[in-house]
Amino acid sequence: MIIVISGASSGFGAMTARALAQAGHTVHAGIRDTAGRNAGAVADAAAFAAEHGVDLRTVELDVADQASVDAAVARVVAESGGLDVVVHNAGHMVLGPTEAFTPEQLASVYDTNVVSTQRLNRAALPHLRAQGHGLVLWVGSTSTRGGAPPYLAPYFAAKAGMDSLAVSYAAELARFGIDTSIVVPGSFTSGTNHFAHAGHAADEAVAAAYEERYGGLMDQVGARLAELAPADADPAEVARAIVRVVDTPAGERPFRVHVDPADDGAEVVNAVGDRVRTEFYRRIGLDDLLHPRALA
């Protein structure tokens, strides 16, 4: 299959691109600023492709820029002759007391984690709808419904927004024969750059006021999350879960898959929410929207 992944310069995105390529797919790893700050990631992907004899390519894709997203999808379709799978992986985490973030910072986090998926969908979905099949796979977070520690609110709120968007899109794409899957990683505190590259609150005075009552809380959150995860927690398992979803036959793919070694409770809550959704759709006579329908 022909796959495009956003945010594939590092972390889950880079791992997933390599795992999918090794599984035999044609993978276009979406990376922004390929000629500048991420030139090393481009070179690493090319070296991996050459070493392993797989079809892993990189494409300039800045999820904050609709023109860049449109150009990336057009290039994927032109080079590979189509598009089968869209993986929404791009995201950005921030750490700090919520009040200390400016409204503009919250909007930026929301843009990266939520609005970016709309840009990519608007570029990619016309191709998937026209062919009557495909998969939109969303990389979510257990923070949307699990135990949510403090000082991560802008990120948590954005991931919750993305999850809600994914759920609504699932129903709206079903009659076009398009699958939806939401892969839900837990808090992997090592092996990814989420915490290392996290942003911080701009209002230092407010942050200092919180530090008086919540001194060291950010470090405590990271340390406690690390303690919850087993020593052998492997973030590459997220990539392997995505490969399994992609390789599952169309129409049989799971709606939601959790990869949460810390077990923060999200799987329990999501099971209830997804069951309520299923029952409600059946009550209002829209149960055909719960699964994609192959087009004649």
Side-chain angles (χ1 to χ4, degrees):
M1 281 184 276
I2 301 164
I3 301 169
V4 64
I5 306 174
S6 66
S9 64
S10 62
F12 291 142
M15 295 176 197
T16 299
R18 286 157 173 72
L20 285 167
Q22 287 187 298
H25 302 288
T26 297
V27 182
H28 295 261
I31 301 174
R32 66 173 174 169
D33 197 12
T34 52
R37 59 179 289 189
N38 286 317
V42 173
D44 289 345
F48 183 91
E51 178 183 354
H52 296 276
V54 297
D55 196 353
L56 172 60
R57 317 176 190 189
T58 55
V59 59
E60 174 68 36
L61 196 165
D62 182 351
V63 295
D65 182 350
Q66 188 68 60
S68 174
V69 175
D70 291 344
V73 171
R75 179 178 167 184
V76 168
V77 173
E79 285 188 2
S80 296
L83 178 61
D84 301 300
V85 180
V86 175
V87 180
H88 290 302
N89 171 75
H92 182 57
M93 178 184 287
V94 295
L95 298 168
T98 307
E99 184 189 345
F101 288 94
T102 65
E104 292 76 18
Q105 282 188 293
L106 260 68
S108 177
V109 173
Y110 190 86
D111 188 278
T112 300
N113 290 280
V114 188
V115 181
S116 69
T117 66
Q118 182 71 348
R119 295 188 183 103
L120 184 50
N121 275 351
R122 284 179 54 81
L125 287 179
H127 299 283
L128 272 59
R129 288 191 288 104
Q131 68 196 18
H133 64 84
L135 167 64
V136 181
L137 191 151
W138 309 70
V139 181
S141 171
T142 60
S143 64
T144 60
R145 283 176 170 165
Y151 277 23
L152 287 156
Y155 175 72
F156 288 170
K159 296 304 284 189
M162 193 205 78
D163 191 279
S164 292
L165 198 63
V167 170
S168 291
Y169 255 120
E172 295 176 18
L173 295 176
R175 289 180 181 172
F176 290 101
I178 299 171
D179 274 318
T180 291
S181 286
I182 307 169
V183 174
V184 190
S187 57
F188 289 89
T189 55
S190 62
T192 71
N193 295 320
H194 288 321
F195 285 86
H197 292 174
H200 298 279
D203 193 329
E204 295 179 359
V206 171
Y210 276 82
E211 187 66 13
E212 293 178 7
R213 299 290 183 94
Y214 293 85
L217 183 62
M218 281 193 289
D219 292 336
Q220 291 172 26
V221 168
R224 298 294 168 79
L225 289 175
E227 289 172 5
L228 286 178
D232 60 351
D234 182 5
E237 183 56 35
V238 175
R240 290 190 283 269
I242 291 173
V243 171
R244 289 192 292 271
V245 171
V246 171
D247 286 345
T248 298
E252 299 177 19
R253 293 174 172 125
F255 181 64
R256 197 182 295 271
V257 176
H258 293 80
V259 187
D260 181 21
D263 189 16
D264 69 5
E267 188 166 4
V268 175
V269 182
N270 275 325
V272 175
D274 292 341
R275 176 176 58 79
V276 169
R277 170 181 177 266
T278 297
E279 292 173 353
F280 182 73
Y281 273 49
R282 288 172 177 162
R283 286 172 57 201
I284 61 176
L286 292 177
D287 48 307
D288 73 298
L289 304 185
L290 294 170
H291 302 283
R293 182 173 64 194
L295 300 185

